Amino acid sequence: MYRIRFHGRGGQGMKTAGRILGTSFFLEGFDVQDAPRYGAERRGAPIFAYVRASRSVIQERGVIRRPSLVVVADDTLAGLPEADVLGGQSADTVMAILSDVPEGTWRSRLNLDSPIVCIPRPDAIKGYAGQAMAGVCCAAVAARLCGSIPKSTLARAVREELGFLAPSVLERSLSEASRMFDSLAPYEAVVRDRPDREFSCDNPPGWVELFHDAAAVAAPVIFGGLTSRLLKTGMWRTFRPVIDTARCRRCWWLCSSFCPDSAIHVGDDGIPAIDYEHCKGCLVCVARCPVHAISAVPESRGVRQENGEEAV
Amino acid sequence: MSESGMQYRGMEDFPSTRLFGSGTPMCAGCGGLLVIHQLYDLLGSDTVFINAAGCMTLLSVYPYTPFRGSWLYTAMASAPAGAQGVRDALDILLESDRLRREENLEVVVLTGDGAAYGMGLSATSGALDRGLDFIYLCYDNEGYGNTGQQYSPATPHGAATSTSRGNGGFRGNKKDLFSLWAAHNPPYAATVSASEPLDLARKVEKLRSLRGPRMLLAFSPCPTGWGFEPAQSVMIGNLAVQTGIWPLKEFIGGKVEHTVLPEKRLPVEEYLKRQGRFAHLFASSAGRDIIAELQGAVDRYWEGVR
Ligand SMILES: Cc1ncc(C[n+]2csc(CCOP(=O)(O)OP(=O)(O)O)c2C)c(N)n1
Ligand code: SF4
Ligand code: SF4
Ligand code: SF4
Ligand SMILES: [Mg+2]
């Protein structure tokens, strides 16, 4: 069985990646499961998609804990505990990561001995507009690395899954998939088709007895205000807004009024400050500032600048 | 109210403090969230929000909330009925001196368009009949956002949604909820757009001086469901106003007044071409016909205005 786990952010097409890959396997006669997983969070938050493909009936269910292939669409996720990119990786798990950072760096950063395939990020997925294309690229990566899917089948699956989109978008998706597939010829079939697990009689779960509390105790009542601030949505960002305070005219808080997430506060001195723990990187403030005092910086560079590793 | 008596003359009169909490799970660039925080900054914490099922249900997922005050979740069709119960409870507490006057709360319904234009209409009409003292905020993202942008009765003609994917997009026409409210002759009803915060603040100021059923219908660009970059969220709102697609108006004292008159209306293409949900209209001659139809409807609307 192939067990493939995709990691990306909301908006990067991970659900699409799972569907295209799942359909490709299906067209090749495999038994297939594909399912995305996400919580209440939206665009920008870490998202998972799982695909299982086997020549026999699939008995496994649920999230994939022991992947044979992990595909990472966004390298900023590698360091996020919430994204759990390393979860369940073993010596023969292949990790493919779309990243311009070299393989050796990832090997030492993540302390991995297992195979890493580092794929330079295609131009098509750079910038905000292209992010959705990451899903198509990741499906092509997985198809090539698993090796059981010919290019023509991949193209058929892309047509099947994205046929409802505008013809120009479909054409671009097909050409990106094809380019990615071709570029990975040396990695054909590096992921091995592992034997399925035997399910005879799994141990029953250790039951936890739940008793009923009185409604006054058990009702989901929140007594404190503003607790949402405990959720650090700043990790959703792929770009961060940076204010050039020298250029800021201290206009009447335009950036702050238009920030959907109330993440810009204006001090008594009239200077706005961005709350990076919560800013989701929508870049509305960048678009609204009348004097262009706010610029968008890729998050990875923003972090390096914050740590003093790179000049601002 | 005289122009000079108004509190909000320019952006400098705007609150500079953000009362609404960060850390909610809404999409980056969510236009609905933007209008909620602008309203909340003006209304403050002496409020209780009654939320119909929709994207904004996820604002308060136990134990997290961005509100300083209260919030209650109801089924999709029932928010105005929930508001009635809360208002009645507050009134009983006030009358029996168990709540001081200064502790009174403003009851605010928070609802999506799917609920407001569709299955919530009956409960809303009932609340209007009973003269319920409440504010009704509908953030209109023109579809069932929470469940993956299926079409709703607020979806514009021709828009692609996950349940109207064909060449022509949505076959129906956007319902006129503002006129439905006006037909009930409430003390106040208005359309707003968060891209025009000053217009919004003035309307909130007026509505706070009145009692009874009061509505704000808020244009709420949805990057996820409409297919545009989050950074353009406010610009999409500007274009909806400048093309005349989203008229800013109010119903007060039995009359409809337009609060913003776009001097020279931009062609509707300027608005449509920036959104993935209308992309198919630019790809065929049948699509071009739909664009012409949409332009015709906007032109006819404004001819009727003056
Ligand atoms: C009676 C009922 N039917 C269906 C649902 C499932 N549902 C939850 S949210 C939602 C969409 C609501 O759309 P809208 O009111 O426009 O709010 P939005 O999601 O766009 O914020 C649906 C269909 C429900 N909660 N209740
Ligand atoms: S990018 Fe700007 S507008 Fe968007 S959440 Fe961050 S601070 Fe707010
Ligand atoms: S919008 Fe620009 S000029 Fe105005 S306060 Fe924000 S950064 Fe400064
Ligand atoms: S789907 Fe649309 S309305 Fe719902 S949270 Fe996302 S941007 Fe907001
Ligand atoms: Mg809606």
Side-chain angles (χ1 to χ4, degrees), chain B residues 54-55 111-115 138-146 149-150 152 154 220 222 226:
Chain B
C55 280
T111 171
D113 51 284
C138 170
Y139 60 96
D140 186 353
N141 63 1
E142 308 196 318
Y144 280 6
N146 191 41
Q149 198 69 4
Q150 294 80 15
S152 84
S220 304
C222 167
W226 298 6

Side-chain angles (χ1 to χ4, degrees), chain B residues 43 67 85 93 116 123 129 164 168 196-197 203 211 246 250 269 272 306:
Chain B
L43 291 183
F67 293 94
L93 291 173
D129 294 345
S164 55
E196 309 288 337
K203 286 170 175 166
R211 302 254 59 96
W246 188 262
E250 60 189 0
E269 277 99 329
L272 303 175
R306 216 165 261 182

Side-chain angles (χ1 to χ4, degrees), chain B residues 69-105:
Chain B
S70 296
W71 178 89
L72 175 76
Y73 167 49
T74 69
M76 200 171 152
S78 324
Q84 180 81 52
V86 171
R87 184 65 263 162
D88 288 351
L90 287 165
D91 287 343
I92 290 168
L93 291 173
L94 285 168
E95 275 162 30
S96 56
D97 288 331
R98 281 181 284 168
L99 195 69
R100 294 196 307 267
R101 286 271 138 211
E102 58 275 20
E103 289 173 324
N104 190 15
L105 302 177

Side-chain angles (χ1 to χ4, degrees), chain A residues 19-203:
Chain A
R19 291 195 66 125
I20 294 173
L21 184 67
T23 299
S24 303
F25 272 121
F26 187 72
L27 292 171
E28 287 300 316
F30 282 79
D31 241 50
V32 179
Q33 278 178 3
D34 90 75
R37 175 162 77 92
Y38 41 84
E41 303 81 6
R42 304 293 165 111
R43 193 171 174 137
I47 280 186
F48 311 79
Y50 306 99
V51 176
R52 287 189 178 91
S54 173
R55 290 286 180 196
S56 48
V57 174
I58 300 174
Q59 304 283 12
E60 277 180 29
R61 295 290 184 272
V63 303
I64 293 179
R65 300 201 188 281
R66 306 248 162 255
S68 33
L69 170 64
V70 168
V71 185
V72 186
D74 185 320
D75 65 3
T76 59
L77 291 172
L80 271 190
E82 295 83 350
D84 199 23
V85 167
L86 295 177
Q89 290 205 31
S90 54
D92 62 347
T93 305
V94 177
M95 182 169 89
I97 182 164
L98 297 189
S99 175
D100 298 325
V101 176
E103 185 208 309
T105 310
W106 284 116
R107 190 167 290 292
S108 63
R109 256 191 218 168
L110 302 177
N111 195 20
L112 277 180
D113 289 331
S114 47
I116 300 179
V117 181
C118 200
I119 304 157
R121 293 188 316 138
D123 287 337
I125 68 165
K126 291 183 181 159
Y128 226 114
Q131 288 201 20
M133 202 59 86
V136 175
C137 294
C138 288
V141 169
R144 181 60 116 178
L145 268 51
C146 289
S148 301
I149 300 169
K151 190 167 149 183
S152 57
T153 304
L154 175 67
R156 220 180 116 195
V158 171
R159 281 184 197 285
E160 212 157 283
E161 294 301 330
L162 302 181
F164 66 91
L165 294 172
S168 60
V169 180
L170 177 61
E171 283 314 312
R172 248 189 312 130
S173 304
L174 284 165
S175 80
E176 285 306 322
S178 152
R179 202 196 324 264
M180 181 58 81
F181 192 87
D182 291 343
S183 75
L184 295 174
Y187 298 99
E188 168 83 14
V190 291
V191 177
R192 274 181 296 142
D193 184 353
R194 285 193 224 161
D196 291 8
R197 245 180 85 190
E198 285 294 321
F199 284 84
S200 45
C201 57
D202 264 359
N203 293 330

Side-chain angles (χ1 to χ4, degrees), chain B residues 104-168:
Chain B
N104 190 15
L105 302 177
E106 182 88 83
V107 177
V108 188
V109 160
L110 179 56
T111 171
D113 51 284
Y117 287 70
M119 64 175 93
L121 264 182
S122 167
T124 310
S125 184
L128 279 153
D129 294 345
R130 296 187 301 271
L132 176 64
D133 183 20
F134 76 135
I135 297 174
Y136 186 89
L137 173 67
C138 170
Y139 60 96
D140 186 353
N141 63 1
E142 308 196 318
Y144 280 6
N146 191 41
T147 41
Q149 198 69 4
Q150 294 80 15
Y151 67 72
S152 84
T155 300
H157 185 60
T161 67
S162 54
T163 41
S164 55
R165 274 181 177 172
N167 285 337

Side-chain angles (χ1 to χ4, degrees), chain A residues 40 42 128-129 221 225-229 231 236 252-254 256-262 278 280 282-284 288, chain B residues 11-12 16 18 20 22 24-27 29 33-34 37-38 58 63-67 146 194 229-231 234 238:
Chain A
R42 304 293 165 111
Y128 226 114
V221 178
L226 296 184
T227 47
S228 61
R229 287 183 181 168
L231 295 171
W236 296 17
W252 292 291
W253 345 126
L254 273 179
S256 174
S257 296
F258 284 123
C259 168
D261 283 282
S262 308
H278 296 103
K280 292 174 185 162
C282 68
L283 307 180
V284 163
R288 297 316 291 185
Chain B
M11 289 297 280
E12 65 273 26
S16 65
R18 305 285 151 244
F20 201 67
S22 306
T24 61
M26 299 5 277
C27 306
L33 186 62
L34 177 57
H37 105 66
Q38 288 188 356
L58 302 171
Y64 304 107
T65 178
F67 293 94
N146 191 41
E229 289 183 35
V234 178
N238 290 139

